[in-house]
Amino acid sequence: MTSSTAADYIEDVSPGSGALPPRARYASSDAKSLSLNGSWRLRVSATADAEDDSFAEEGHDAGDWAEVTVPGHWVLQGHGSPIYTNHLYPFPVDPPHVPTENPTGDHLRVFDLPSEWPSDGGAVLRFDGVESCARIWLNGTDIGEFKGSRLPHEFAVGHLLKPGDNVLAVRVHQWSAGSYLEDQDQWWLPGIFRDVTLLHRPPGSVLDFFVHASYDHVGGTGTLRVDSDVDGRITVPALDIDVATGEPVTVPVRPWTAELPYLYDGLLTTEGERVPLRIGFRTVELSDGLIKVNGKAILFKGVNRHEWHPEKGRALDLETMREDVLLMKRHNINAVRTSHYPPHPAFLDLCDEYGLWVIDECDLETHGFTEQAWRDNPVDDDRWTPALLDRAARMVERDKNHPSIVIWSLGNEAGTGRGLTAMAEWIHGRDRSRLVHYEGDINCRDTDVYSRMYASHAEVEQIGRELDGGTHRRRGLPFILCEYGHAMGNGPGGLADYQRLFESQDRLQGGFIWEWIDHGIKDERHGFAYGGDFGEELHDGNFVCDGLLFPDRVPSPGLIEYKKVIEPVSVDSPDGGSVRITNKHDFADLSAFAFQWSYQVDGESVGSGPLTVPPLAPGESADVKLPAPPVESDGAESQWTVRALLAADTAWAPAGHVVGWGQIPVAARPLPYVSATAGPVLGERRITLGPASFDARTGELQSIGEVDVTGLRLDVWRATTDNDDGASWQTDIRHGLLWRKLGLHRMRHRLDGVELGEDALTVRTRVAPAAWEIGLATVYRWTSDGSRLRLTVSVAPEGDWTVPLPRLGIRFGLDAGADRVKWFGGGPGEGYPDTKSASRLGRWESTVDGLQTPYVRPQENGARADVRWAELGGLRIEGDPEFWFTARRWTTEQLDAAAHRTDLTPGTASDSGSAAGVWVNLDHGQHGIGSQSCGPGPLPQYFLNAEPAAFSFVFSESPEIS
């Protein structure tokens, strides 16, 4: 005989009991409401049945309980620990059962009704988000339980309320049957993490309503119809609309788009309530095999966005959400996929207001079942279908009145099954004004969009040309990359190459970078903690830190790169005397922009002014004549820079904000030349050559003038990036592992000879790892004109090199006092072969510390690309040809060994034991970055293949900088 307990609901596959049917959410009305956010009492138990239900009774003494903030997660407020897994369930997979060890948080809140709270009508208690299962009591009465962590649930409670000392008790379980449906790649964080609100429901108040606001792009008219469960009237003063609910009306309107998000203020009035409306007229359709809005195909330049705050987890406030939207708009992002659950509803209000296309995704992922070949997957088990349909309905009904939402998504990485088909059929039946997406539906049986994750550039090109095969239905559908450009650590690389494909084939309608923000948890010990830092039994390390923003919302170089790659105004040059401006918007012309030119000589601006550009329509280009150069270049390198700026303040950025830019070369740089007029002189222990001193035995450089130089030698190693290391499940080349297998991180330098010629010092070496026959025959040739020193490095691979090099150049150490850096080259931030679209040629300054990019897991970073010259620590270094420049206060080996930012402290010694405070790399080449932490590696054109190479640097003293 099987016994049952009061907690059987935890493992029930149903969505719950007692909750009201889902309905549209609106931000405000004239009905009273009471926020129950704030300080709550909390008691955490290790199991679901460790405590009885007496805490829910009136008069229970919780004086010795902890206090926590709601919205919030108790594990981020000192009660237990968070857990991070990518897709593995952190409990045995035995659906619908969960472990006995099931952290359970009993929450208590005692509240009074405001004195003005009406005595008529009813009341609804709304929970906007609780992870993962909750049971609710009000004044001792059990009112229901629910699952569906990121979805709203409402309960009728008017009959239970009293004027004062209302006791709201909520028991929250970390694990439940619902956890099997919520295996998203994120932290497992139990708690009441979204708002709790009490809503007065006057007699005749609004129940559910659906705003239908379509746009006819041919006639320029909008048709409005608002269906309401309760009869009322709709008024839109700006359009002179005053009609009954359910009655359509057609009038001339300005449409809503993400570029021009025009909203009309309206009002839904019933007998008992007035609800403000924000109405955006737009029509979404699948037409000619394309996603079209208002008759035009759109191009998604998007991101996937988890909700995250480094201290509060998924408990976001309005200003944090606004900061996200403003950052997106300022970085040219036009679309968001709400991975992998509906966001806080206020975020969608902001998308409506500021203008972002939204793919709203259901709170569904069963990724962990892939470990058992999807056996017992809930989405293919009819017992779970009611829960799946409940989740779909709660998303659609809550969010259906947002014009920003153009596509519904069934969820993410949940395999395939009958439950997903049922969800798609329900959504198609409920809302025909939007499309349906699900990446796992590879043959597009139930969906309207062909969607993939991390497809390579080559495959995307094939898809764009309709050469990818698949079903007849799929071949006729538009294609998006719902995830690409995995933004983990240094990267992602190859974004510009993807964008060129998107812009060249109509079927390719863009994609969504994975993802928006690193989910690091602020932590004194680690700086930002990630998986494994809380003693988790299973975890996926820093895979949770794969965003375009660092956890503190500072933009990463990846976001700066993406902004440049997707800029809506492009600047190119058909010839040296004019500039070609192209409007890459889908809807907006260029009337909102001002254009400016500037002219640089050797990286310094010597003139600037306005540039008159016509208000080009979307897709149009114009060649605009540039003025005469303000000065003669006189043999120096020169170029134009043209910027597209906001002409006036907007809701999301001030006037002068740079939206797009381009640089047009005029005269090339003369390469540095050193006449070999000084010869090496051998002393007792040293060799002198012009301003330099060398060790007489090894030929190692010791100083240039008054500047001490330590350990100058060939360097091929970089602290591997997340993308170098790749992902464990990938079967193709993971360069980081191969580099370590070959020992490129432990190269040995054999001295083969020191030769003093009439005008040169030549040092011959072989650089090679232990255990392998491969090596690099390396020759250092030093010459001088008496005041400057030229180093030419020649490298010849020996043996069978089957992998590219991480980097190729020289490194050396300088005194710790070296701090200020000047350079002429790419900047202001870092750039690598496939991540340097945003690297702008100019003169830049920084501190050594300012050159570092603070990735949550330390790795190769901070290289400045296309550097002509750099000054640091009293040295001036010129390159022949241009080079990558890096300087840091620790060695590459120390950087490679660090697991967190706090592990990095200024280094004091090289491998050979010689002292140095700043380590400098001057690289002839760097291997590409790619996004192989989850996606494809670098394209072949960005490989740094082991092949013969020669490169030079010219050193001189630069006393004005130290």
Side-chain angles (χ1 to χ4, degrees), residues 860-913:
E860 166 62 35
N861 74 89
R864 269 50 180 185
D866 302 318
V867 174
R868 278 73 167 148
W869 57 257
E871 295 180 347
L872 168 68
L875 282 184
R876 179 181 174 91
I877 306 151
E878 299 173 79
D880 178 8
E882 291 78 30
F883 59 97
W884 271 272
F885 172 81
T886 309
R888 52 177 67 105
R889 296 192 181 279
W890 35 79
T891 65
T892 297
E893 290 73 22
Q894 290 170 322
L895 181 63
D896 198 26
H900 296 88
R901 296 180 186 179
T902 51
D903 295 335
L904 288 172
T905 56
T908 58
S910 71
D911 292 345
S912 60

Short mmCIF file of all heavy atoms in Angstrom, two decimals, residues 860-913:
data_model
loop_
_atom_site.label_atom_id
_atom_site.label_comp_id
_atom_site.label_asym_id
_atom_site.label_seq_id
_atom_site.Cartn_x
_atom_site.Cartn_y
_atom_site.Cartn_z
N GLU A 860 43.66 35.05 -22.35
CA GLU A 860 44.27 36.00 -23.28
C GLU A 860 43.32 37.17 -23.52
O GLU A 860 42.13 36.99 -23.80
CB GLU A 860 44.60 35.30 -24.60
CG GLU A 860 44.92 36.24 -25.75
CD GLU A 860 46.15 37.10 -25.52
OE1 GLU A 860 47.12 36.62 -24.88
OE2 GLU A 860 46.15 38.25 -25.99
N ASN A 861 43.87 38.38 -23.42
CA ASN A 861 43.04 39.57 -23.58
C ASN A 861 43.92 40.77 -23.83
O ASN A 861 45.14 40.72 -23.66
CB ASN A 861 42.20 39.80 -22.31
CG ASN A 861 43.03 40.33 -21.16
OD1 ASN A 861 43.19 41.54 -21.00
ND2 ASN A 861 43.60 39.44 -20.34
N GLY A 862 43.31 41.86 -24.22
CA GLY A 862 43.95 43.16 -24.19
C GLY A 862 44.84 43.51 -25.35
O GLY A 862 45.47 44.57 -25.34
N ALA A 863 44.93 42.66 -26.38
CA ALA A 863 45.80 42.98 -27.51
C ALA A 863 45.21 44.13 -28.31
O ALA A 863 44.02 44.13 -28.63
CB ALA A 863 46.00 41.76 -28.40
N ARG A 864 46.06 45.10 -28.64
CA ARG A 864 45.66 46.17 -29.55
C ARG A 864 46.16 45.81 -30.94
O ARG A 864 47.32 45.43 -31.10
CB ARG A 864 46.20 47.52 -29.10
CG ARG A 864 45.26 48.30 -28.18
CD ARG A 864 44.73 47.50 -27.01
NE ARG A 864 43.83 48.28 -26.15
CZ ARG A 864 43.32 47.83 -25.03
NH1 ARG A 864 43.61 46.62 -24.60
NH2 ARG A 864 42.50 48.60 -24.31
N ALA A 865 45.28 45.92 -31.92
CA ALA A 865 45.58 45.43 -33.27
C ALA A 865 46.15 46.53 -34.15
O ALA A 865 45.93 47.73 -33.90
CB ALA A 865 44.30 44.87 -33.90
N ASP A 866 46.85 46.12 -35.18
CA ASP A 866 47.33 47.02 -36.25
C ASP A 866 48.15 48.19 -35.69
O ASP A 866 48.04 49.33 -36.17
CB ASP A 866 46.14 47.55 -37.07
CG ASP A 866 45.34 46.43 -37.69
OD1 ASP A 866 45.96 45.48 -38.20
OD2 ASP A 866 44.09 46.49 -37.65
N VAL A 867 48.96 47.93 -34.70
CA VAL A 867 49.74 48.98 -34.05
C VAL A 867 50.93 49.36 -34.93
O VAL A 867 51.70 48.50 -35.38
CB VAL A 867 50.21 48.53 -32.65
CG1 VAL A 867 51.15 49.55 -32.03
CG2 VAL A 867 49.01 48.28 -31.75
N ARG A 868 51.08 50.65 -35.16
CA ARG A 868 52.23 51.18 -35.90
C ARG A 868 53.41 51.40 -34.95
O ARG A 868 54.52 51.02 -35.23
CB ARG A 868 51.89 52.50 -36.57
CG ARG A 868 51.16 52.38 -37.90
CD ARG A 868 49.70 51.93 -37.77
NE ARG A 868 49.01 52.14 -39.05
CZ ARG A 868 48.03 51.39 -39.49
NH1 ARG A 868 47.61 50.35 -38.78
NH2 ARG A 868 47.45 51.65 -40.65
N TRP A 869 53.13 52.06 -33.84
CA TRP A 869 54.14 52.26 -32.81
C TRP A 869 53.49 52.32 -31.44
O TRP A 869 52.30 52.63 -31.31
CB TRP A 869 54.99 53.50 -33.07
CG TRP A 869 54.25 54.83 -33.21
CD1 TRP A 869 53.98 55.50 -34.35
CD2 TRP A 869 53.71 55.62 -32.14
NE1 TRP A 869 53.30 56.66 -34.08
CE2 TRP A 869 53.13 56.77 -32.73
CE3 TRP A 869 53.67 55.50 -30.75
CZ2 TRP A 869 52.50 57.77 -31.99
CZ3 TRP A 869 53.03 56.50 -29.99
CH2 TRP A 869 52.46 57.62 -30.63
N ALA A 870 54.27 52.02 -30.45
CA ALA A 870 53.81 52.09 -29.06
C ALA A 870 54.94 52.63 -28.20
O ALA A 870 56.13 52.41 -28.50
CB ALA A 870 53.38 50.72 -28.57
N GLU A 871 54.58 53.35 -27.14
CA GLU A 871 55.54 53.88 -26.18
C GLU A 871 55.15 53.44 -24.79
O GLU A 871 53.99 53.59 -24.38
CB GLU A 871 55.59 55.41 -26.25
CG GLU A 871 56.12 55.93 -27.58
CD GLU A 871 56.16 57.44 -27.66
OE1 GLU A 871 55.55 58.10 -26.78
OE2 GLU A 871 56.81 57.97 -28.59
N LEU A 872 56.13 52.90 -24.08
CA LEU A 872 55.89 52.37 -22.74
C LEU A 872 57.21 52.27 -22.02
O LEU A 872 58.21 51.79 -22.58
CB LEU A 872 55.24 50.98 -22.84
CG LEU A 872 55.17 50.14 -21.55
CD1 LEU A 872 54.20 50.77 -20.56
CD2 LEU A 872 54.75 48.71 -21.87
N GLY A 873 57.24 52.73 -20.76
CA GLY A 873 58.40 52.52 -19.91
C GLY A 873 59.68 53.11 -20.45
O GLY A 873 60.77 52.58 -20.22
N GLY A 874 59.60 54.22 -21.17
CA GLY A 874 60.78 54.85 -21.72
C GLY A 874 61.20 54.32 -23.08
O GLY A 874 62.20 54.76 -23.65
N LEU A 875 60.46 53.35 -23.62
CA LEU A 875 60.76 52.79 -24.93
C LEU A 875 59.73 53.23 -25.97
O LEU A 875 58.53 53.38 -25.66
CB LEU A 875 60.75 51.26 -24.88
CG LEU A 875 61.94 50.53 -24.31
CD1 LEU A 875 61.74 49.03 -24.46
CD2 LEU A 875 63.23 50.97 -24.98
N ARG A 876 60.22 53.42 -27.18
CA ARG A 876 59.34 53.58 -28.34
C ARG A 876 59.61 52.38 -29.25
O ARG A 876 60.76 52.05 -29.54
CB ARG A 876 59.62 54.88 -29.08
CG ARG A 876 58.75 55.08 -30.33
CD ARG A 876 59.11 56.38 -31.03
NE ARG A 876 58.40 56.54 -32.29
CZ ARG A 876 57.22 57.14 -32.44
NH1 ARG A 876 56.61 57.65 -31.37
NH2 ARG A 876 56.66 57.25 -33.62
N ILE A 877 58.52 51.74 -29.68
CA ILE A 877 58.63 50.53 -30.50
C ILE A 877 57.83 50.76 -31.78
O ILE A 877 56.63 51.05 -31.72
CB ILE A 877 58.07 49.30 -29.76
CG1 ILE A 877 58.73 49.16 -28.39
CG2 ILE A 877 58.23 48.06 -30.61
CD1 ILE A 877 57.85 48.51 -27.36
N GLU A 878 58.49 50.63 -32.90
CA GLU A 878 57.83 50.74 -34.20
C GLU A 878 57.85 49.38 -34.87
O GLU A 878 58.82 48.63 -34.73
CB GLU A 878 58.55 51.77 -35.08
CG GLU A 878 58.57 53.18 -34.50
CD GLU A 878 59.42 54.11 -35.32
OE1 GLU A 878 58.94 54.59 -36.38
OE2 GLU A 878 60.57 54.34 -34.92
N GLY A 879 56.79 49.07 -35.59
CA GLY A 879 56.67 47.76 -36.20
C GLY A 879 56.81 47.78 -37.70
O GLY A 879 56.42 48.74 -38.37
N ASP A 880 57.37 46.71 -38.24
CA ASP A 880 57.47 46.51 -39.68
C ASP A 880 57.16 45.05 -39.96
O ASP A 880 58.03 44.19 -39.82
CB ASP A 880 58.88 46.88 -40.18
CG ASP A 880 59.04 46.65 -41.68
OD1 ASP A 880 58.02 46.36 -42.35
OD2 ASP A 880 60.18 46.74 -42.17
N PRO A 881 55.91 44.67 -40.28
CA PRO A 881 54.75 45.54 -40.51
C PRO A 881 54.06 45.88 -39.19
O PRO A 881 54.68 45.80 -38.12
CB PRO A 881 53.86 44.66 -41.39
CG PRO A 881 54.15 43.27 -40.91
CD PRO A 881 55.63 43.25 -40.59
N GLU A 882 52.74 46.22 -39.25
CA GLU A 882 51.99 46.51 -38.03
C GLU A 882 51.95 45.26 -37.15
O GLU A 882 52.13 44.14 -37.61
CB GLU A 882 50.56 46.95 -38.37
CG GLU A 882 50.47 48.31 -39.03
CD GLU A 882 50.84 48.27 -40.52
OE1 GLU A 882 50.61 47.22 -41.15
OE2 GLU A 882 51.36 49.28 -41.03
N PHE A 883 51.68 45.46 -35.87
CA PHE A 883 51.75 44.36 -34.93
C PHE A 883 50.64 44.45 -33.90
O PHE A 883 49.92 45.45 -33.81
CB PHE A 883 53.12 44.33 -34.24
CG PHE A 883 53.48 45.58 -33.47
CD1 PHE A 883 53.28 45.66 -32.10
CD2 PHE A 883 54.02 46.69 -34.12
CE1 PHE A 883 53.62 46.80 -31.39
CE2 PHE A 883 54.36 47.84 -33.42
CZ PHE A 883 54.16 47.90 -32.05
N TRP A 884 50.47 43.36 -33.15
CA TRP A 884 49.59 43.35 -31.99
C TRP A 884 50.43 43.69 -30.76
O TRP A 884 51.52 43.13 -30.56
CB TRP A 884 48.95 41.98 -31.79
CG TRP A 884 47.66 41.80 -32.52
CD1 TRP A 884 46.42 42.11 -32.08
CD2 TRP A 884 47.48 41.24 -33.83
NE1 TRP A 884 45.47 41.79 -33.02
CE2 TRP A 884 46.09 41.26 -34.11
CE3 TRP A 884 48.35 40.74 -34.80
CZ2 TRP A 884 45.57 40.78 -35.30
CZ3 TRP A 884 47.84 40.27 -35.99
CH2 TRP A 884 46.46 40.30 -36.24
N PHE A 885 49.89 44.58 -29.92
CA PHE A 885 50.61 45.04 -28.73
C PHE A 885 49.83 44.66 -27.48
O PHE A 885 48.62 44.92 -27.38
CB PHE A 885 50.80 46.56 -28.78
CG PHE A 885 51.35 47.16 -27.51
CD1 PHE A 885 52.71 47.12 -27.25
CD2 PHE A 885 50.51 47.75 -26.58
CE1 PHE A 885 53.22 47.67 -26.08
CE2 PHE A 885 51.01 48.30 -25.40
CZ PHE A 885 52.37 48.25 -25.16
N THR A 886 50.52 44.04 -26.52
CA THR A 886 49.91 43.67 -25.25
C THR A 886 50.90 43.98 -24.13
O THR A 886 52.09 43.73 -24.28
CB THR A 886 49.59 42.16 -25.20
OG1 THR A 886 48.87 41.79 -26.36
CG2 THR A 886 48.76 41.80 -23.98
N ALA A 887 50.41 44.52 -23.03
CA ALA A 887 51.25 44.75 -21.84
C ALA A 887 50.43 44.46 -20.60
O ALA A 887 49.27 44.89 -20.50
CB ALA A 887 51.77 46.19 -21.82
N ARG A 888 51.03 43.74 -19.66
CA ARG A 888 50.31 43.41 -18.42
C ARG A 888 51.30 43.20 -17.28
O ARG A 888 52.49 43.03 -17.52
CB ARG A 888 49.43 42.17 -18.62
CG ARG A 888 50.14 40.96 -19.20
CD ARG A 888 49.20 39.77 -19.29
NE ARG A 888 48.14 39.95 -20.25
CZ ARG A 888 48.09 39.37 -21.46
NH1 ARG A 888 49.08 38.57 -21.84
NH2 ARG A 888 47.08 39.56 -22.26
N ARG A 889 50.78 43.22 -16.06
CA ARG A 889 51.63 43.12 -14.87
C ARG A 889 51.78 41.69 -14.38
O ARG A 889 52.11 41.46 -13.23
CB ARG A 889 51.06 44.01 -13.76
CG ARG A 889 51.07 45.47 -14.12
CD ARG A 889 50.79 46.38 -12.95
NE ARG A 889 50.80 47.77 -13.38
CZ ARG A 889 51.89 48.50 -13.56
NH1 ARG A 889 53.07 47.96 -13.33
NH2 ARG A 889 51.81 49.75 -13.96
N TRP A 890 51.53 40.75 -15.22
CA TRP A 890 51.76 39.35 -14.90
C TRP A 890 52.15 38.63 -16.18
O TRP A 890 51.91 39.09 -17.29
CB TRP A 890 50.52 38.69 -14.29
CG TRP A 890 49.24 39.22 -14.87
CD1 TRP A 890 48.68 38.86 -16.06
CD2 TRP A 890 48.38 40.21 -14.29
NE1 TRP A 890 47.52 39.58 -16.26
CE2 TRP A 890 47.31 40.41 -15.19
CE3 TRP A 890 48.42 40.94 -13.10
CZ2 TRP A 890 46.29 41.31 -14.93
CZ3 TRP A 890 47.39 41.84 -12.86
CH2 TRP A 890 46.35 42.02 -13.76
N THR A 891 52.77 37.51 -16.03
CA THR A 891 53.21 36.76 -17.18
C THR A 891 52.03 36.02 -17.81
O THR A 891 50.97 35.83 -17.18
CB THR A 891 54.27 35.72 -16.79
OG1 THR A 891 53.68 34.76 -15.91
CG2 THR A 891 55.46 36.38 -16.10
N THR A 892 52.24 35.56 -19.01
CA THR A 892 51.23 34.73 -19.66
C THR A 892 50.97 33.49 -18.83
O THR A 892 49.83 33.02 -18.73
CB THR A 892 51.68 34.36 -21.07
OG1 THR A 892 51.81 35.55 -21.84
CG2 THR A 892 50.69 33.43 -21.75
N GLU A 893 52.02 32.93 -18.24
CA GLU A 893 51.85 31.72 -17.44
C GLU A 893 50.98 31.99 -16.21
O GLU A 893 50.14 31.15 -15.83
CB GLU A 893 53.23 31.19 -17.02
CG GLU A 893 54.06 30.62 -18.15
CD GLU A 893 54.63 31.68 -19.09
OE1 GLU A 893 54.75 32.85 -18.66
OE2 GLU A 893 54.94 31.33 -20.25
N GLN A 894 51.18 33.14 -15.57
CA GLN A 894 50.34 33.48 -14.43
C GLN A 894 48.89 33.70 -14.87
O GLN A 894 47.95 33.29 -14.19
CB GLN A 894 50.88 34.74 -13.75
CG GLN A 894 52.19 34.52 -13.01
CD GLN A 894 52.82 35.83 -12.57
OE1 GLN A 894 52.77 36.83 -13.27
NE2 GLN A 894 53.43 35.81 -11.39
N LEU A 895 48.72 34.34 -16.00
CA LEU A 895 47.37 34.56 -16.54
C LEU A 895 46.72 33.23 -16.84
O LEU A 895 45.53 33.01 -16.55
CB LEU A 895 47.46 35.43 -17.79
CG LEU A 895 46.14 35.80 -18.48
CD1 LEU A 895 45.26 36.64 -17.57
CD2 LEU A 895 46.43 36.55 -19.79
N ASP A 896 47.47 32.31 -17.42
CA ASP A 896 46.94 31.01 -17.81
C ASP A 896 46.53 30.19 -16.60
O ASP A 896 45.60 29.39 -16.66
CB ASP A 896 48.02 30.26 -18.61
CG ASP A 896 47.48 29.11 -19.43
OD1 ASP A 896 46.29 29.14 -19.79
OD2 ASP A 896 48.25 28.18 -19.71
N ALA A 897 47.22 30.37 -15.48
CA ALA A 897 46.94 29.58 -14.28
C ALA A 897 45.78 30.12 -13.46
O ALA A 897 45.24 29.42 -12.61
CB ALA A 897 48.19 29.51 -13.40
N ALA A 898 45.39 31.37 -13.71
CA ALA A 898 44.37 32.00 -12.87
C ALA A 898 42.98 31.47 -13.22
O ALA A 898 42.64 31.27 -14.38
CB ALA A 898 44.41 33.51 -13.06
N ALA A 899 42.18 31.25 -12.18
CA ALA A 899 40.79 30.82 -12.37
C ALA A 899 39.80 31.95 -12.17
O ALA A 899 38.68 31.88 -12.68
CB ALA A 899 40.47 29.68 -11.40
N HIS A 900 40.20 32.98 -11.43
CA HIS A 900 39.33 34.12 -11.16
C HIS A 900 40.17 35.39 -11.22
O HIS A 900 41.40 35.36 -11.11
CB HIS A 900 38.67 34.01 -9.78
CG HIS A 900 37.74 32.84 -9.65
ND1 HIS A 900 38.18 31.59 -9.27
CD2 HIS A 900 36.40 32.73 -9.87
CE1 HIS A 900 37.15 30.76 -9.24
NE2 HIS A 900 36.06 31.42 -9.60
N ARG A 901 39.50 36.51 -11.34
CA ARG A 901 40.20 37.80 -11.39
C ARG A 901 41.08 38.00 -10.16
O ARG A 901 42.17 38.56 -10.23
CB ARG A 901 39.19 38.94 -11.47
CG ARG A 901 38.34 38.97 -12.72
CD ARG A 901 37.39 40.16 -12.66
NE ARG A 901 36.45 40.18 -13.76
CZ ARG A 901 35.50 41.11 -13.91
NH1 ARG A 901 35.39 42.08 -13.01
NH2 ARG A 901 34.68 41.08 -14.94
N THR A 902 40.59 37.54 -9.01
CA THR A 902 41.32 37.78 -7.77
C THR A 902 42.59 36.95 -7.67
O THR A 902 43.40 37.16 -6.77
CB THR A 902 40.41 37.49 -6.56
OG1 THR A 902 39.82 36.18 -6.73
CG2 THR A 902 39.31 38.51 -6.44
N ASP A 903 42.77 36.00 -8.58
CA ASP A 903 44.01 35.22 -8.59
C ASP A 903 45.16 35.98 -9.23
O ASP A 903 46.32 35.56 -9.11
CB ASP A 903 43.81 33.92 -9.38
CG ASP A 903 42.81 32.98 -8.74
OD1 ASP A 903 42.63 33.07 -7.51
OD2 ASP A 903 42.20 32.16 -9.46
N LEU A 904 44.86 37.06 -9.91
CA LEU A 904 45.89 37.80 -10.64
C LEU A 904 46.48 38.89 -9.77
O LEU A 904 45.78 39.81 -9.34
CB LEU A 904 45.29 38.41 -11.91
CG LEU A 904 44.97 37.42 -13.03
CD1 LEU A 904 44.22 38.11 -14.15
CD2 LEU A 904 46.25 36.78 -13.56
N THR A 905 47.75 38.76 -9.51
CA THR A 905 48.50 39.79 -8.80
C THR A 905 49.72 40.13 -9.62
O THR A 905 50.21 39.29 -10.40
CB THR A 905 48.93 39.32 -7.40
OG1 THR A 905 49.68 38.10 -7.52
CG2 THR A 905 47.70 39.07 -6.52
N PRO A 906 50.26 41.34 -9.51
CA PRO A 906 51.42 41.71 -10.33
C PRO A 906 52.55 40.70 -10.20
O PRO A 906 52.93 40.29 -9.10
CB PRO A 906 51.79 43.08 -9.78
CG PRO A 906 50.52 43.64 -9.26
CD PRO A 906 49.77 42.46 -8.70
N GLY A 907 53.09 40.28 -11.35
CA GLY A 907 54.16 39.30 -11.37
C GLY A 907 55.51 39.96 -11.08
O GLY A 907 55.70 41.14 -11.31
N THR A 908 56.45 39.16 -10.59
CA THR A 908 57.77 39.69 -10.27
C THR A 908 58.90 38.90 -10.89
O THR A 908 60.06 39.24 -10.73
CB THR A 908 57.98 39.69 -8.75
OG1 THR A 908 57.83 38.35 -8.26
CG2 THR A 908 56.98 40.59 -8.07
N ALA A 909 58.59 37.81 -11.58
CA ALA A 909 59.69 37.01 -12.12
C ALA A 909 59.27 36.30 -13.38
O ALA A 909 58.12 35.92 -13.55
CB ALA A 909 60.17 36.00 -11.10
N SER A 910 60.22 36.09 -14.25
CA SER A 910 60.01 35.31 -15.45
C SER A 910 60.34 33.86 -15.17
O SER A 910 60.77 33.50 -14.07
CB SER A 910 60.90 35.83 -16.58
OG SER A 910 62.25 35.50 -16.31
N ASP A 911 60.18 33.02 -16.18
CA ASP A 911 60.52 31.61 -16.00
C ASP A 911 61.99 31.44 -15.64
O ASP A 911 62.38 30.52 -14.93
CB ASP A 911 60.23 30.83 -17.29
CG ASP A 911 58.73 30.75 -17.56
OD1 ASP A 911 57.96 31.03 -16.63
OD2 ASP A 911 58.35 30.39 -18.69
N SER A 912 62.82 32.33 -16.15
CA SER A 912 64.26 32.21 -15.90
C SER A 912 64.69 32.85 -14.59
O SER A 912 65.86 32.81 -14.24
CB SER A 912 65.04 32.85 -17.06
OG SER A 912 64.71 34.23 -17.16
N GLY A 913 63.72 33.44 -13.89
CA GLY A 913 64.03 34.00 -12.59
C GLY A 913 64.43 35.45 -12.60
O GLY A 913 64.70 36.02 -11.55
#
